[in-house]
Amino acid sequence: LVANEVFNAAIRLIDLAKNKGQKIDYSLRDKEGKTLLILATKVMSLDMVKKILSEDKNSINITDNEGRTALH
């Protein structure tokens, strides 16, 4: 539940940044190679998954350091 609240806040921040003309890079990874999409699917944040895929369909193909995508 807390993770989804964090992702909902992140969606609002993404929208705010985009409204100010900033580009969002959904391919950024953490030290384990996990993208925001991989993390969102891990905690089942459907709203964040929808947000990312609506803006960057190619992010579904990005793998982490172990070769897993958001679908694994």
Side-chain angles (χ1 to χ4, degrees):
L1 180 64
V2 172
N4 280 318
E5 291 175 15
V6 170
F7 278 107
N8 288 336
I11 290 170
R12 291 190 297 276
L13 290 173
I14 289 168
D15 289 339
L16 180 63
K18 289 189 65 137
N19 288 338
K20 293 186 179 237
Q22 296 182 6
K23 185 178 182 314
I24 307 301
D25 185 355
Y26 293 106
S27 67
L28 293 176
R29 305 169 193 220
D30 66 10
K31 66 182 178 180
E32 296 174 349
K34 296 187 182 338
T35 62
L36 186 57
L37 180 60
I38 292 171
L39 295 171
T41 58
K42 186 175 183 176
V43 298
M44 295 183 280
S45 177
L46 185 57
D47 290 335
M48 181 58 91
V49 170
K50 288 179 182 179
K51 176 75 171 169
I52 295 167
L53 292 177
S54 73
E55 296 184 16
D56 183 9
K57 290 182 180 24
N58 292 325
S59 62
I60 196 75
N61 298 314
I62 299 173
T63 58
D64 65 12
N65 294 349
E66 295 181 12
R68 294 179 293 201
T69 68
L71 299 176
H72 284 108

